[in-house]
Amino acid sequence: MRTFRTTVAAALIVSLTACGGATSGAGEDEPSAGAKGTVNLAVNPWVGYEANAAVIAYLLEKKMGYTVDKKELKEEIAWQGFETGEVDVIVENWGHPDLKKTYIEDKKVAVEVGPTGNEGIIGWYVPEWMTQQYPDITDYKSLNKYANLFKTSESKGKGQFLAGDPSFVTNDEALVTNLKLNYTVVYSGSEAAIIKAAQQATAQKKPLLFYFYEPQWLFAKEKYVRVKLPAYTEGCDKDLKKVACDYPDYKLDKIASKKFADTGGAAYQFVKNFTWTNDDQNLVSDYLTNQGMSADQAAEKWVNEHEATWKPWIPA
């Protein structure tokens, strides 16, 4: 989320412990689970990533014969695992040029594996009802005159800007300072907390200015409008302390350890082949969040209904 989400945007870790890695995909019959070794998946703390992990884990186990061990890891810790050998692949990376430079260019322990197919968008949002009542509120130049609407007990006499998980790497504090906005950045603590606040803002007509992102299932359920910040231009966010521009759009991608890329066999090829749309991810996220499904149940439902999408991911 970015400037990138650093614990965020999604790091799925796959650590293959099978001897020599896998060399072939599944045939028509499902293989016995664990026949080819263990894959350790690191799951970052937002539901879109959990959706990726659910489907990947399900297919690795049910269609390719691996055991999958999911681990809840912060994003930056996942990158550190490329060097320690604990991490094989991140499947939803939100930019992170700094981490790419460290682990791909400098230490040469990781490689880029290609896009996930998801388009990542980060921005500032307000509930749609606020744009109807205050038509100019989506222009950042108008935010100061509405700051009193957003005051809370935590915002120190200023308007509140609600951020997400403090482990996400964002530009919001710098934007508030550099755009001279009379706001205090307050961290909700998690994706779930910021979603709850957004839902309450709509249902109870409570003013809310908040950080959010796509892909995200909530946009299909409720209406939020993005605030227009100064347009992003290449390099405008290079110095994070001086950022005064909007977030760029992101082509979310996958990163693998060099060792996994060289020796991971069919498991690596499967992850490399994995690509789906924002609609796919949002559908599985909705199953997980709103329909009470477990990760396996959500993945199984999606897999049963989208064979044409996932079948080409599995190496022949």
Side-chain angles (χ1 to χ4, degrees):
M1 294 182 167
R2 354 20 321 60
T3 3
F4 331 120
R5 292 152 110 159
T6 79
T7 293
V8 194
L12 167 107
I13 301 167
V14 179
S15 181
L16 181 65
T17 59
C19 296
T23 57
S24 64
E28 291 300 312
D29 296 328
E30 294 184 2
S32 58
K36 295 183 179 176
T38 298
V39 174
N40 296 316
L41 299 184
V43 183
N44 286 170
W46 63 96
V47 71
Y49 191 89
E50 293 170 6
N52 285 26
V55 170
I56 288 172
Y58 183 87
L59 289 170
L60 282 168
E61 288 190 331
K62 305 300 183 182
K63 303 298 181 182
M64 297 183 67
Y66 293 90
T67 296
V68 176
D69 182 12
K70 294 181 182 178
K71 299 180 179 180
E72 295 183 4
L73 294 175
K74 296 294 188 178
E75 195 173 10
E76 200 159 0
I77 293 173
W79 282 80
Q80 294 170 8
F82 291 141
E83 189 170 21
T84 64
E86 297 175 66
V87 174
D88 287 332
V89 66
I90 291 172
V91 296
E92 186 177 285
N93 172 61
W94 286 71
H96 295 299
D98 53 337
L99 296 176
K100 285 185 176 181
K101 183 178 186 305
T102 297
Y103 293 99
I104 296 177
E105 297 178 21
D106 297 343
K107 296 185 176 182
K108 302 187 187 308
V109 294
V111 298
E112 294 179 293
V113 185
T116 67
N118 295 125
E119 303 286 335
I121 297 172
I122 295 173
W124 291 11
Y125 293 86
V126 294
E128 185 181 54
W129 70 265
M130 293 197 75
T131 68
Q132 297 165 355
Q133 193 164 339
Y134 311 102
D136 61 341
I137 202 167
T138 56
D139 183 344
Y140 83 94
K141 295 177 183 177
S142 299
L143 288 176
N144 278 344
K145 75 177 182 179
Y146 295 116
N148 285 343
L149 290 175
F150 299 102
K151 281 185 179 179
T152 70
S153 60
E154 299 178 78
S155 62
K156 302 176 183 177
K158 300 181 179 182
Q160 174 182 273
F161 176 86
L162 189 65
D165 186 324
S167 65
F168 295 175
V169 176
T170 70
N171 298 335
D172 302 322
E173 292 187 6
L175 284 167
V176 166
T177 298
N178 297 327
L179 296 178
K180 297 179 171 57
L181 299 177
N182 190 32
Y183 286 78
T184 298
V185 176
V186 176
Y187 291 92
S188 66
S190 68
E191 180 186 62
I194 204 166
I195 288 174
K196 182 178 180 180
Q199 291 175 318
Q200 289 177 341
T202 295
Q204 301 173 20
K205 296 292 177 67
K206 294 172 62 175
L208 183 69
L209 174 65
F210 65 109
Y211 163 100
F212 215 41
Y213 44 86
E214 298 181 61
Q216 172 55 244
W217 63 266
L218 187 61
F219 284 106
K221 302 288 185 180
E222 299 178 359
K223 302 298 183 182
Y224 303 94
V225 181
R226 189 172 177 180
V227 173
K228 295 178 182 177
L229 299 174
Y232 177 84
T233 57
E234 189 69 31
C236 70
D237 56 353
K238 186 174 182 180
D239 186 338
L240 297 183
K241 293 182 179 179
K242 297 180 180 180
V243 175
C245 60
D246 209 343
Y247 292 93
D249 291 342
Y250 295 91
K251 299 283 188 183
L252 305 187
D253 63 347
K254 297 164 289 189
I255 311 295
S257 72
K258 180 67 165 59
K259 180 179 179 181
F260 186 64
D262 291 341
T263 66
Y268 169 74
Q269 189 62 47
F270 166 75
V271 173
K272 184 176 182 180
N273 292 344
F274 170 83
T275 180
W276 64 353
T277 66
N278 284 15
D279 287 343
D280 289 320
Q281 188 186 92
N282 286 339
L283 184 58
V284 178
S285 295
D286 183 60
Y287 294 159
L288 292 168
T289 305
N290 302 311
Q291 299 189 32
M293 294 187 190
S294 68
D296 276 353
Q297 289 170 335
E300 181 178 25
K301 180 173 173 59
W302 186 87
V303 165
N304 287 343
E305 296 173 357
H306 296 83
E307 183 174 353
T309 300
W310 62 260
K311 196 77 169 181
W313 303 344
I314 297 181

